[in-house]
Amino acid sequence: MKKLLLKLNRLFLFTLLILFGMKSAAQVNISFPEVLFTDMQTIAKGGSSNTIMNRLVALVDNTPAGQSIHISIYMINYQPLMDALKNAEARGVNLHIIVDMSRSDPQITNASSLPWLQTNLPNSEIVVTTNDVSPNAINHHKQALFSGVTTTSGLVSNVTFQTSHNFTNSDMGKIQDALVFNEADIYQAFLANWNVMKQNAASGMRVNFVYTAHDFAAINTKLAFFPRIVAGTHDGVDNILESLNAITDVANAKVRIAMSDWTDSRPAIVDKLIALRNQGATIEVYAKDAAGTQTKAKLNQLKTLGATVRIFNLSTDGQAVFNIHAKMMLIEGTWNGQANAKVILTGSHNYTDAALKTNNEVLVTLLNSPLFNAYDTYFNSFNSITPTLQLLAWNFNTLNTSGSEASFLSTHTTGGLFNATLLRGTGFRANGLSKGLGAVKDVAKNATMSTTKAMAMANEDYFEFDLSTKPGKKVSLNSLDYVVRRSSTAAPKTGAWMYVVEENGVKGEPQAITTTDITFTNGPTLNAGFQQAPVDLSQVAALQNIPFGKKVYLRLYFWGATTSTSTFGLGPYGVNNSNSVVLNGDVAEDETS
């Protein structure tokens, strides 16, 4: 009787786990298929976008007890995901995880995370891959397969999550895409490849792996699992070239590419793009300066033919970095004999020899997918995006200011620029503002209170900093962030940012940046200082491509004080551990100098 009661108790507890065992997170609200992208504007400003990782964590969190998750990943160290996997195992989810350790990149990134997974997931299957197709071959997959996920519509089976995004912190700072399906055919194809990977994880990939392609015509989806080898030998076919060769009615076709790695080992791809452009096709290519030398030369040739080509900076030489890690192509036109086709090619497959012949990769091809419009919108942003970085910044906490100093050198100056000086105009004198730059009306000079912008300009009531490039450089300004502190409602309440250009030692007249004046905003505590709305500088022609020898001064004029003793300043009152003034933009080589 006791044994029967014990079994019943266990059954009851298992039922509770199934019903209530998931982490107390909202059920996944998702429509299939789904595409996600990292936020391009955030990435362009040097930030991180957790959109894709958040979705993956949510899928893990909503996988109920008794279901299975199969993961194959090149690099992993994102702790929220690893914690979610730990919680999943604890509630009874069956975990099967392949982690690559084939060469230095994953060996470094996974050095701590792999032991963590092995220690904290004692009841899960952790498989380590060392691809032996070649000395530099890798398991480049980034995917997770869910046998079942609880969504707002109920339990959904056969969920496939495929992305260009490594499961790492650093990859959140790159351009990425991710697809989520709940098609049984897609799930089973990925699962079959996962099992092949497991069987040849330690060795045997070169001998045993067979290139596999699936064409699920009913759902307009093709999958190709690489390397493209049979018995260790490449069959001579290039999938990307195949897709480009499938374009007919070329003059009305459109091809768009955003590519992470593009080496000189597959010249036929860019050669085909040049041929298509010569026949009238519309071509857009977005790549990185890490591409092969010959590839970049041919992309520039493509640009001279009228194609849209942007090669983004990836080096850390003082220029803004914009890292495309996605591997995407869009084709519009007649393709494989089908008119008005809209084709998406994506996955983990770079335009490299390794991706084709040695690495474990996947290429997903979607024909006339409902996701095409989302890709189209995302691609449209590539042509206008402006990568930026902090050009200049002032951190008054680092300077440990009293607020009464005459001037301050920038605490951050990017490469290619000279250090800048922040100071007051002569209409205001120094006044104490701990961890800030304080000012009060200089009545000894002029007791008249400025009530208009014209008066503030005449009385020289402003804060100012300078900007100048080093030889061989040019700078373009994008935005300005700043914090204002008013000691009371009697302090200046209105302002305007303006700029002055100096050439050959001669300063021009102050010029407006915006057509409307600024009404300074306050936080809950008036004298604590408050972050103001960013100032857009990107549309001011005179502030773009500023060369060596030209100096620019940015001035914040202010007016509207009702007493001469009220303090106006930059930076919060008291301790401030962040930048109070930040100028954003980009520095580039000046090829005309």
Side-chain angles (χ1 to χ4, degrees):
M1 184 68 179
K2 287 183 179 180
K3 289 183 178 179
L4 178 61
L5 287 173
L6 182 60
K7 287 182 178 179
L8 288 173
N9 282 336
R10 285 177 176 172
L11 179 61
F12 177 69
L13 288 172
F14 181 71
T15 303
L16 286 178
L17 275 172
I18 293 176
L19 294 175
F20 308 108
M22 290 184 295
K23 186 178 176 180
S24 58
Q27 293 175 333
V28 179
N29 184 4
I30 186 172
S31 298
F32 297 99
E34 180 185 61
V35 62
L36 304 114
F37 303 99
T38 48
D39 184 74
M40 193 177 296
Q41 292 291 341
T42 300
I43 303 305
K45 294 178 181 177
S48 294
S49 172
N50 57 11
T51 304
I52 293 175
M53 285 296 95
N54 282 352
R55 175 57 92 203
L56 179 55
V57 170
L59 291 171
V60 173
D61 284 344
N62 286 280
T63 302
Q67 299 292 337
S68 298
I69 301 175
H70 289 78
I71 289 174
S72 185
I73 185 61
Y74 179 46
M75 293 190 286
I76 179 172
N77 65 14
Y78 186 54
Q79 195 60 49
L81 172 61
M82 297 195 298
D83 290 340
L85 291 170
K86 181 178 179 179
N87 294 334
E89 185 193 76
R91 67 175 175 268
V93 177
N94 302 307
L95 301 179
H96 310 271
I97 304 173
I98 295 176
V99 179
D100 189 61
M101 292 293 276
S102 296
R103 68 182 192 200
S104 60
D105 287 350
Q107 288 165 6
I108 293 170
T109 301
N110 302 336
S112 299
S113 52
L114 176 59
W116 190 97
L117 293 170
Q118 292 168 327
T119 300
N120 287 276
L121 304 177
N123 299 316
S124 298
E125 182 180 27
I126 311 295
V127 179
V128 177
T129 53
T130 51
N131 187 328
D132 64 358
V133 176
S134 78
N136 292 317
I138 55 175
N139 165 27
H140 202 223
H141 285 304
K142 305 157 186 72
Q143 58 198 223
L145 315 176
F146 302 83
S147 63
V149 175
T150 303
T151 73
T152 52
S153 300
L155 183 68
V156 175
S157 301
N158 302 316
V159 175
T160 302
F161 176 92
Q162 162 60 42
T163 181
S164 63
H165 197 310
N166 284 296
F167 302 163
T168 63
N169 294 291
S170 62
D171 262 33
M172 293 191 293
K174 305 173 185 178
I175 295 298
Q176 312 275 10
D177 70 331
L179 296 171
V180 190
F181 304 98
N182 74 320
E183 296 286 349
D185 286 342
I186 294 175
Y187 176 88
Q188 291 298 330
F190 272 89
L191 184 60
N193 182 73
W194 191 97
N195 283 316
V196 171
M197 297 282 299
K198 173 188 171 181
Q199 293 163 9
N200 299 283
S203 64
M205 196 73 68
R206 178 177 178 81
V207 176
N208 299 323
F209 187 88
V210 177
Y211 167 76
T212 306
H214 303 267
D215 186 353
F216 303 122
I219 53 175
N220 287 327
T221 301
K222 295 181 180 182
L223 304 176
F225 293 97
F226 298 83
R228 187 158 184 147
I229 57 173
V230 177
T233 302
H234 176 227
D235 65 2
V237 179
D238 186 321
N239 297 61
I240 303 302
L241 193 59
E242 267 192 331
S243 290
L244 292 174
N245 285 334
I247 299 171
T248 53
D249 189 17
V250 174
N252 294 308
K254 185 176 184 178
V255 179
R256 286 177 282 177
I257 294 172
M259 183 47 52
S260 175
D261 295 1
W262 196 337
T263 63
D264 293 335
S265 58
R266 291 168 76 177
I269 296 175
V270 69
D271 288 342
K272 181 62 180 181
L273 292 173
I274 291 172
L276 290 171
R277 177 59 200 150
N278 281 327
Q279 296 174 67
T282 299
I283 307 291
E284 296 179 15
V285 176
Y286 306 99
K288 304 186 298 195
D289 63 0
T293 302
Q294 295 175 25
T295 299
K296 286 188 290 187
K298 289 185 177 182
L299 289 176
N300 285 323
Q301 178 186 347
L302 187 61
K303 187 174 183 178
T304 65
L305 295 173
T308 298
V309 176
R310 292 190 73 182
I311 300 177
F312 293 102
N313 178 58
L314 191 60
S315 59
T316 55
D317 58 356
Q319 298 181 41
V321 172
F322 188 73
N323 194 336
I324 299 174
H325 195 253
K327 307 93 171 52
M328 307 182 292
M329 178 191 290
L330 303 184
I331 299 174
E332 296 174 74
T334 303
W335 185 79
N336 274 333
Q338 181 167 339
N340 301 314
K342 296 181 184 294
V343 186
I344 303 167
L345 290 89
T346 186
S348 67
H349 186 94
N350 288 307
Y351 295 174
T352 66
D353 211 44
L356 183 65
K357 301 175 183 177
T358 63
N359 292 349
N360 294 112
E361 310 265 9
V362 66
L363 179 66
V364 181
T365 304
L366 305 176
L367 175 62
N368 297 331
S369 168
L371 304 179
F372 188 88
N373 287 343
Y375 273 94
D376 176 68
T377 300
Y378 198 67
F379 261 87
N380 288 339
S381 299
F382 278 115
N383 199 27
S384 59
I385 196 71
T386 303
T388 62
L389 76 165
Q390 285 188 3
L391 299 173
L392 299 169
W394 281 263
N395 186 314
F396 296 124
N397 185 63
T398 300
L399 291 167
N400 195 27
T401 64
S402 67
S404 297
E405 294 84 351
S407 62
F408 303 102
L409 283 177
S410 48
T411 53
H412 168 78
T413 306
T414 197
L417 298 184
F418 289 108
N419 287 333
T421 302
L422 176 65
L423 46 75
R424 306 168 189 81
T426 60
F428 270 60
R429 61 177 174 81
N431 195 59
L433 178 61
S434 177
K435 306 298 187 293
L437 171 62
V440 69
K441 181 67 179 177
D442 191 348
V443 295
K445 179 190 175 189
N446 187 341
T448 303
M449 306 295 292
S450 298
T451 57
T452 66
K453 178 168 31 179
M455 291 180 68
M457 293 173 67
N459 293 333
E460 297 188 339
D461 297 344
Y462 61 76
F463 291 125
E464 172 189 274
F465 64 88
D466 61 298
L467 171 81
S468 56
T469 64
K470 293 179 178 179
K473 301 290 185 179
K474 61 181 179 180
V475 62
S476 295
L477 308 188
N478 181 265
S479 63
L480 178 62
D481 302 305
Y482 65 109
V483 176
V484 160
R485 185 255 181 182
R486 301 169 65 221
S487 63
S488 70
T489 56
K493 61 183 178 182
T494 310
W497 280 95
M498 306 186 77
Y499 69 92
V500 173
V501 176
E502 178 183 330
E503 290 188 88
N504 301 318
V506 179
K507 288 185 179 180
E509 293 298 316
Q511 303 295 320
I513 290 174
T514 61
T515 56
T516 57
D517 297 331
I518 301 164
T519 299
F520 299 119
T521 53
N522 304 306
T525 304
L526 175 64
N527 65 2
F530 197 69
Q531 187 81 39
Q532 305 299 301
V535 180
D536 182 9
L537 307 175
S538 64
Q539 303 306 308
V540 183
L543 302 182
Q544 309 307 311
N545 299 310
I546 303 167
F548 171 69
K550 182 182 287 188
K551 199 168 190 177
V552 171
Y553 300 85
L554 293 173
R555 291 180 180 173
L556 174 60
Y557 286 94
F558 42 87
W559 61 93
T562 56
T563 69
S564 62
T565 56
S566 57
T567 303
F568 184 81
L570 295 173
Y573 183 79
V575 176
N576 168 32
N577 292 316
S578 61
N579 294 321
S580 292
V581 180
V582 179
L583 180 66
N584 302 299
D586 192 17
V587 177
E589 298 293 331
D590 189 351
E591 298 173 356
T592 64
S593 63

